[in-house]
């Protein structure tokens, strides 16, 4: 097929696997294989001098030289550094993610021509710092991140797109999204298969298939130690290889009732048997965390399970038998398994991306056939914020409290204004700590950064009010505006993020990444 220019794509940037998709002119959603022929690329980077290897080959190379490899860095998004050094150096999770994105872009371009505009997906439960870090990763990769969309919303859009418009009337659906590293539960009202309104969302950015893998690894290590009196953890390559084996065995347990995990170390070989029952037992607390999240979500939304029409499963980890059993038991309904667990999020992102392109007024020359353009243009969705937005203020006990301005699960966009008095006469700067979270005290919340209002006019008396408006845009990002009330004029306001990247840092990191050969 001839390369199409200016194609917009959707990318699922996952903890363990990532994928890229697009919508062709006839409305078909296609996930693009990487240069090795796989639809999902392992989110693993291996450094070999100036070359960064991404994907399955990187995962294999990491077995022998784990110090040169990075994986699961999505879990560190929003933090300054990946949790360990790579090739002896501290690396930012945004940079590692950018390398994965660049690999996806490059491989997709073999088929599509230049890809610059993309929609990236994020867990619904990502806070502002993690959302910004994801957008920054896109910029470092040389992409124009047109939007970020929540993974469960993308899965639901994919679900709706596959159905005839209007066929379903109005439905309430629960998206249970358990990927490699994150868990999201989202309740949505879906109308006519193309209008998606999020009612509420909750989740855990530190819970995913990797944690189930770890339970099996720990089980095997303990078994080996009991029987052979040798510690597998002492040998990094053996341990890495075990991690790969375990993931395969976990997948097998989704099909079969039992599996034997082969281990060889210190001159001894052992087959460690594991059946579904034991697997469930050693990971029951992980499953219970997802169960209490969905129960609370439905209860807090004032609903009961009989009001929920469909339970959508998304994310590879929902293939585990224990997940399906638990959902059926808790809800009294069989989950809907019509979605492709691994690829629905990338496909949904691509559909959203194509729909945005039409919204940009590009309809006449969008390249989409008329029926496709009509279908895409009709897609609408409304998001909610997954964390309450607040500011830090001293309470009566002189402790720094969290004062909520925009409560969690407010329909977006949402704005709330609050007046702050300048602390001293002639102050030129006002600083306010911006928080996300539900805890009553500031130190129990995530500090996004400091809202810094500067260039205040000279001569303001102490207590002069500055009206600050705090907003969440539709993509869940936080924005600020400040007005000096007495003068009715705006003041310069920014969020100073101690750990985030500045525009200058982004340019520098983009140069570093563009100097790498990525394969
Ligand atoms: P995703 O982020 O949606 O690509 O999900 C990746 C996670 O799904 C990884 O932790 C995989 O180990 C897990 N996964 C994929 N297929 C299966 C399966 N058949 N059974 C259990 N877990 C799976």
């Amino acid at each position: 097929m001839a390369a199409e220019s200016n194609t917009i794509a959707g990318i699922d940037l996952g903890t363990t696997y990532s994928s890229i998709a697009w919508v062709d002119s006839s409305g078909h959603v296609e996930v693009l294989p990487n240069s090795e022929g796989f639809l999902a690329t392992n989110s693993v980077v291996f450094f070999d001098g100036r070359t960064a290897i991404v994907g399955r080959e990187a995962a294999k190379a990491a077995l022998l030289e784990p110090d040169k490899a990075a994986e699961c860095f999505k879990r560190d998004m929003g933090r300054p550094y990946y949790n360990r050094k790579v090739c002896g150096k501290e690396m930012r999770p945004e940079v590692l993610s950018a390398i994965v994105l660049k690999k996806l872009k490059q491989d997709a371009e073999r088929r599509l021509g230049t890809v610059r505009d993309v929609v990236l997906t994020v867990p619904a439960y990502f806070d502002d710092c993690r959302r910004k870090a994801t957008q920054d990763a896109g910029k470092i990769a040389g992409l124009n991140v047109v939007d970020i969309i929540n993974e469960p919303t993308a899965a639901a859009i994919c679900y709706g797109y596959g159905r005839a418009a209007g066929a379903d009337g109005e439905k309430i659906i629960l998206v249970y999204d358990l990927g490699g590293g994150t868990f999201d539960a989202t309740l949505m009202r879906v109308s006519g298969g193309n209008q998606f309104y999020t009612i509420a969302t909750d989740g855990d950015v530190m819970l995913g298939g990797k944690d189930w893998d770890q339970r099996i690894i720990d089980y095997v290590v303990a078994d080996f130690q009991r029987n052979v009196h040798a510690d597998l953890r002492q040998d990094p390559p053996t341990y890495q290889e075990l991690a790969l084996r375990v993931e395969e065995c976990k997948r097998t347990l989704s099909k079969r009732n039992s599996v034997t995990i082969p281990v060889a170390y210190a001159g001894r070989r052992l087959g460690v048997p594991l059946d579904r029952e034991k697997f469930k037992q050693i990971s029951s607390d992980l499953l219970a965390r997802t169960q209490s999240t969905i129960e609370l979500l439905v209860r807090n939304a004032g609903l009961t399970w009989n009001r929920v029409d469909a339970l959508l499963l998304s994310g590879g980890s929902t293939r585990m038998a224990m997940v399906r059993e638990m959902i059926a038991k808790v809800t009294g309904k069989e989950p809907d398994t019509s979605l492709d667990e691994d690829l629905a999020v990338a496909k949904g992102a691509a559909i959203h991306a194509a729909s945005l392109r039409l919204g940009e007024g590009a309809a006449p020359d969008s390249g989409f056939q008329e029926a496709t353009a009509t279908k895409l243009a009709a897609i609408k969705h409304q998001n909610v914020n997954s964390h309450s937005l607040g500011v830090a203020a001293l309470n009566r006990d002189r402790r720094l409290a969290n004062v909520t301005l925009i409560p969690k699960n407010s329909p977006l966009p949402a704005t709330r204004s609050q007046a702050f008095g300048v602390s001293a006469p002639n102050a030129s700067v006002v600083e306010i700590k911006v928080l996300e979270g539900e805890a009553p005290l500031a130190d129990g919340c995530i500090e996004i950064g400091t809202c810094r209002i500067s260039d205040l006019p000279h001569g303001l008396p102490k207590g002069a009010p500055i009206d600050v408006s705090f907003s969440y845009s539709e993509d869940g990002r936080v924005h600020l505006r400040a007005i000096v009330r007495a003068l009715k004029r705006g003041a310069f306001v920014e969020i100073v993020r101690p750990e985030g990247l500045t525009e200058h840092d982004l340019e520098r990191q983009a140069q570093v990444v563009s100097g790498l050969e990525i394969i």
Side-chain angles (χ1 to χ4, degrees):
M1 192 201 107
E4 302 194 13
S5 62
N6 201 21
T7 305
I8 187 164
I11 296 182
D12 171 9
L13 182 60
T15 312
T16 46
Y17 294 94
S18 297
S19 299
I20 181 164
W22 76 303
V23 182
D24 73 14
S25 59
S26 68
H28 172 67
V29 192
E30 184 188 9
V31 181
L32 297 156
N34 62 21
S35 55
E36 294 76 47
F38 301 110
L39 296 179
T41 299
N42 304 57
S43 306
V44 182
V45 181
F46 181 87
F47 292 92
D48 183 10
R50 301 296 307 153
T51 303
I53 306 169
V54 180
R56 186 179 279 214
E57 288 308 314
K60 279 199 224 156
L63 287 180
L64 296 173
E65 294 176 281
D67 297 348
K68 291 187 180 174
E71 57 169 357
C72 264
F73 30 84
K74 181 169 167 179
R75 284 204 158 164
D76 294 319
M77 283 299 232
R79 293 192 184 138
Y81 294 110
Y82 176 52
N83 61 58
R84 62 175 173 78
K85 289 186 175 169
V86 186
C87 301
K89 280 190 292 200
E90 301 263 36
M91 293 208 67
R92 292 205 60 114
E94 294 95 324
V95 171
L96 294 163
S97 303
I99 294 171
V100 173
L101 289 173
K102 209 153 176 189
K103 157 82 175 165
L104 295 170
K105 166 183 158 72
Q106 266 174 211
D107 288 0
E109 285 179 339
R110 296 177 316 145
R111 166 92 161 80
L112 300 180
T114 306
V115 175
R116 234 183 79 71
D117 295 346
V118 292
V119 166
L120 301 180
T121 63
V122 285
Y125 208 59
F126 255 22
D127 55 43
D128 181 75
C129 301
R130 292 179 165 105
R131 284 171 193 263
K132 176 180 185 296
T134 306
Q135 288 170 321
D136 287 348
K139 286 186 198 160
I140 295 170
L143 292 165
N144 176 32
V145 183
V146 178
D147 201 3
I148 47 174
I149 181 172
N150 291 348
E151 288 161 12
T153 310
I157 289 177
C158 178
Y159 171 79
Y161 190 75
R163 285 153 195 262
D168 280 342
E170 186 166 295
K171 272 186 166 186
I172 291 185
I173 62 169
L174 172 85
V175 185
Y176 178 105
D177 182 3
L178 187 62
T182 54
F183 170 63
D184 271 333
T186 298
L187 263 177
M188 292 187 132
R189 207 169 66 243
V190 183
S191 247
N194 55 14
Q195 315 286 304
F196 305 87
Y197 303 95
T198 303
I199 301 168
T201 193
D202 209 334
D204 195 330
V205 289
M206 291 291 168
L207 182 62
K210 275 273 156 198
D211 301 291
W212 270 263
D213 294 352
Q214 193 58 49
R215 290 303 166 88
I216 306 180
I217 294 171
D218 294 345
Y219 178 72
V220 174
V221 167
D223 194 87
F224 201 82
Q225 202 147 25
R226 217 172 17 251
N227 290 297
V228 180
H229 305 292
D231 187 352
L232 294 168
R233 287 168 300 190
Q234 298 306 320
D235 185 44
T238 306
Y239 190 72
Q240 284 275 334
E241 192 166 342
L242 174 65
L244 271 194
R245 283 257 163 83
V246 156
E247 205 236 0
E248 275 167 29
C249 291
K250 179 185 72 173
R251 287 173 188 249
T252 307
L253 277 179
S254 301
K255 290 203 201 89
R256 291 186 5 217
N257 208 22
S258 64
V259 69
T260 299
I261 306 158
V263 204
Y265 178 56
R268 293 289 304 273
R269 271 178 191 282
L270 200 71
V272 180
L274 182 69
D275 62 17
R276 278 190 184 171
E277 206 40 50
K278 188 75 199 170
F279 181 32
K280 193 168 149 189
Q281 192 190 326
I282 59 176
S283 53
S284 61
D285 58 316
L286 302 176
L287 190 69
R289 272 159 68 187
T290 74
Q291 178 178 337
S292 52
T293 300
I294 58 171
E295 286 177 331
L296 211 66
L297 190 69
V298 168
R299 202 175 326 133
N300 288 348
L303 295 172
T304 50
W305 287 114
N306 58 14
R307 295 275 315 279
V308 178
D309 301 295
L311 304 151
L312 278 195
L313 299 185
S314 171
S317 301
T318 60
R319 290 206 185 87
M320 290 190 291
M322 67 176 91
V323 167
R324 294 173 183 214
E325 277 165 22
M326 179 275 286
I327 292 180
K329 193 163 156 225
V330 166
T331 65
K333 291 179 190 21
E334 279 306 315
D336 182 318
T337 53
S338 61
L339 278 184
D340 181 336
E341 295 93 339
D342 301 315
L343 303 175
V345 168
K347 287 183 181 175
I351 298 163
H352 174 59
S355 147
L356 281 179
R357 168 101 333 147
L358 286 162
E360 286 166 0
D365 57 355
S366 65
F368 295 112
Q369 291 169 8
E370 204 179 323
T372 304
T374 308
K375 187 172 174 185
L376 287 168
I379 296 173
K380 300 272 175 300
H381 74 88
Q382 186 176 43
N383 194 4
V384 298
N385 51 323
S386 51
H387 303 272
S388 297
L389 185 71
V391 289
L394 282 180
N395 65 13
R396 279 203 210 111
D397 307 330
R398 310 288 305 156
R399 295 182 71 187
L400 219 44
N402 169 28
V403 180
T404 297
L405 298 177
I406 302 178
K408 174 181 170 147
N409 289 328
S410 299
L412 302 186
T415 301
R416 167 83 189 271
S417 287
Q418 174 85 19
F420 295 88
V422 297
S423 57
N426 285 324
S428 61
V429 174
V430 170
E431 290 190 331
I432 307 149
K433 273 195 173 115
V434 187
L435 308 169
E436 273 190 325
E438 320 310 316
L441 290 178
D443 60 10
C445 296
I446 303 147
E447 187 179 325
I448 299 178
T450 303
C451 158
R452 190 165 198 275
I453 306 160
S454 49
D455 87 342
L456 291 175
H458 192 71
L460 281 181
K462 180 177 177 191
I466 314 283
D467 292 311
V468 184
S469 79
F470 296 82
S471 315
Y472 271 119
S473 47
E474 274 128 340
D475 59 8
R477 289 294 318 276
V478 175
H479 305 273
L480 303 174
R481 258 166 24 99
I483 294 191
V484 182
R485 196 185 290 170
L487 304 174
K488 293 197 176 69
R489 88 153 171 78
F492 180 74
V493 60
E494 60 181 336
I495 302 183
V496 183
R497 299 166 183 270
E499 296 184 336
L501 291 171
T502 62
E503 285 302 314
H504 175 69
D505 298 331
L506 285 175
E507 273 168 33
R508 217 161 31 90
Q509 301 288 6
Q511 271 171 12
V512 172
V513 171
S514 71
L516 289 172
E517 182 199 22
I518 297 174
I519 55 172

